[in-house]
Structures are given as C-alpha cells and as structure tokens.
Amino acid sequence: MLATTKEMLLDAQAGHYAVGAFNVENLEFVMAVIRAAEDRRSPVIMQTTPGTVKYANLDYFAALCRVAAEEASVPVAIHLDHGDGFGRCVQAMHAGYTSVMIDGSHVPFEENVALTASVTKVAGPVGIPVEAELGKVGGKEDDGPAVEGESPYTDPDQAEEFVARTGCSSLAVGVGTVHGIYKGTPHIEQGILSSIRERLDVPLVLHGTSGVPDDQVAEAIRNGICKVNYATELRQAYTRGFMGYMEENPSCFDPKKPAAPGMDQIFAVVASHMDNLGSTRKA
C-alpha cells in the first residue's frame, strides 16, 4: 500500500478531514505508527527530517518504511520533512521516498520561489508531490535555530502567487504554531488560515502541532488543513514508556522490553490524533 501524498491529500481535502504525518525516529516508531494506522483503518504519512536522516541515512529510513508499507493494508506515504536543499530532496527521491518537502521559508520570497520550483521541476515528471513552506513556523526543527524577526504568518495574497509560480503540490503555512514544546497555550490564527484557503485549491499543511488542543486542530481542518504534522509528542511518548519501564526494572538489559511500552505510548497518541483528524476508517 505504498502511496504518494498527492491523492491522499486530495481525498482528504474533498472529504473534509486531514491525514496525520508522523515523524519516525527508528524501527519502533515505524512499527507503532503502522499499528495505529491499521487499527484505525487510516491512511498515514511517515516522515523524517534532515536531523533524523543524519543519524542514519535516507536509505535506512526508506527501507524501514517501505517494508512496513508493503505489509500494510492501508495507504502509506514516505515523506521527507523540511528538506534542507535541492540535493537532499533529490537524494530522498532516489532512496524511494514517495513525497518530499522543500523548506525555503528561511530565505527571501524570490529565493524560496526559485528553490521550490527547482524541486518541482524534477519531481513532477516522476510523479512525486512536493510540499513547500511559506511563512514561518517558529521554534526549533531538530537542532536548528529558532525563527525570529519578521512576521511568522503566511500572507494570503503572496501564497496565491507562490503556488502559481512554483507548482507545489501542497503548502505548509505559518498560522501561529511552533515546532518543539510550547511555553504557553498554542493559538492558531484561524482567520488567516481561512483567507489562505479562499485563495488556494492545493492542500494546506499544519506544522508544529504537538501540544495544540484538539479543538483548534479540528477547526483548522474545517478551514482547509489537509495534512497535520506530529513529531515532539511521539518522541515524548516513546521516551515516557521506555524510561518508565527502566525505572521499574533497572536491571533490564534487553532493549526490546522497554521498547514495547514505548511503542504502546506512541500507538495511543497516534490513534487518538487519527480520530480527531477524521481520518479513521478513511483507508
């Protein structure tokens, strides 16, 4: 059931739900996410950031996700999250990723357009969809610097021009979310999101969703979000289960034993989000 994100997100857009995109860090993450997708009969996107890829490499993660997808009975996409350059995106395509993101949000508008268009020009002929980002999603992506300075919000008029000039398949928008751990109560600017949706037909993507209240996410979906990213919550869940087991069993030296409750924690988080996103029973 290996799939691309193109039809997956268009189906979500037509059906007024969103597909969860879950960052996977190792074999256990992959197994737990797939188990939740199977349990909920939900399409799913497994994704890796450049920081995770540097820990191993693109081929390792593509292989892990491909094996899981081939054994799954639900659609599974393998996505490069926050691709940090043209070369990284091309490497991901060669490795077997079925979807890539090129993140040009940290460069001026014209440079972002040129960078994104360079990726879509290569990806389009081989049928690989390209996610781009316009505006700023604050916080940290892996170990990168926090975004500071200019307005973090995506300009709706600029978004319309950006999509027309780049041909991107989906667009990640800045509407108030941040990567990492929130220090206060998250707030999505639903008005800005609605204005962007009025101008664009392509699926919209919400980054930095770990910790955002379910009701805000559900409202964002009603306002046009079709893909929702989760990373920090999965890391926290796995570590909580793993460390909890080790605290109770300090003499354990078999990593599979503490990994099992870690996977159970991820399963619970992912399944709950699929229910809220409306993707349950959509496979």
Side-chain angles (χ1 to χ4, degrees), residues 167-187:
C168 62
S169 308
S170 59
L171 184 67
V173 292
V175 289
T177 55
V178 301
H179 297 101
I181 299 172
Y182 286 91
K183 295 182 179 180
T185 302
H187 176 70

Side-chain angles (χ1 to χ4, degrees), residues 188 190-191 193-194 214-225:
I188 296 175
Q190 304 287 352
L193 180 56
S194 296
D214 283 349
D215 60 339
Q216 288 195 40
V217 176
E219 184 179 356
I221 293 169
R222 291 193 293 272
N223 288 326
I225 290 294

Side-chain angles (χ1 to χ4, degrees), residues 25-74:
E25 305 287 339
N26 56 27
L27 171 64
E28 287 74 22
F29 277 61
V30 171
M31 293 171 64
V33 169
I34 287 293
R35 179 157 64 96
E38 292 272 17
D39 182 82
R40 289 305 197 264
R41 307 303 306 158
S42 170
V44 67
I45 300 166
M46 292 192 290
Q47 58 186 26
T48 54
T49 62
T52 299
V53 169
K54 290 172 186 176
Y55 179 72
N57 63 49
L58 285 160
D59 292 322
Y60 270 114
F61 287 103
L64 286 173
C65 296
R66 184 173 61 250
V67 169
E70 289 172 351
E71 295 182 353
S73 59
V74 297

Side-chain angles (χ1 to χ4, degrees), residues 56-273:
N57 63 49
L58 285 160
D59 292 322
Y60 270 114
F61 287 103
L64 286 173
C65 296
R66 184 173 61 250
V67 169
E70 289 172 351
E71 295 182 353
S73 59
V74 297
V76 180
I78 310 173
H79 180 70
L80 175 67
D81 187 30
H82 289 289
D84 54 347
F86 174 84
R88 182 85 66 188
C89 290
V90 172
Q91 290 169 359
M93 295 179 213
H94 282 299
Y97 280 62
T98 61
S99 174
V100 298
M101 177 193 181
I102 178 64
D103 186 356
S105 64
H106 302 293
V107 298
F109 180 77
E110 289 297 330
E111 291 182 33
N112 192 355
V113 168
L115 176 60
T116 302
S118 72
V119 176
T120 60
K121 183 177 181 180
V122 172
V126 293
I128 296 179
V130 177
E131 177 185 328
E133 183 172 329
L134 184 66
K136 300 290 192 299
V137 179
K140 293 185 178 182
E141 298 153 12
D142 292 316
D143 55 353
V147 175
E148 297 178 354
E150 62 188 90
S151 171
Y153 301 117
T154 301
D155 179 270
D157 293 325
Q158 202 174 51
E160 186 175 19
E161 178 187 353
F162 182 87
V163 171
R165 291 177 61 187
T166 62
C168 62
S169 308
S170 59
L171 184 67
V173 292
V175 289
T177 55
V178 301
H179 297 101
I181 299 172
Y182 286 91
K183 295 182 179 180
T185 302
H187 176 70
I188 296 175
E189 292 292 342
Q190 304 287 352
I192 294 175
L193 180 56
S194 296
S195 295
I196 296 169
R197 167 50 66 217
E198 289 173 1
R199 290 164 173 78
L200 295 178
D201 289 329
V202 299
L204 302 180
V205 181
L206 186 65
H207 283 237
T209 323
S210 290
V212 177
D214 283 349
D215 60 339
Q216 288 195 40
V217 176
E219 184 179 356
I221 293 169
R222 291 193 293 272
N223 288 326
I225 290 294
C226 303
K227 173 177 178 276
V228 180
N229 289 15
Y230 292 98
T232 301
E233 272 186 73
L234 274 65
R235 293 172 176 175
Q236 292 172 319
Y238 182 76
T239 303
R240 182 168 59 246
F242 191 102
M243 296 304 295
Y245 181 92
M246 290 306 300
E247 287 175 5
E248 295 179 3
N249 303 274
S251 63
C252 174
F253 58 85
D254 181 352
K256 296 187 294 298
K257 292 182 177 179
M263 288 190 287
D264 288 343
Q265 291 279 343
I266 290 178
F267 170 87
V269 168
V270 173
S272 175
H273 284 315

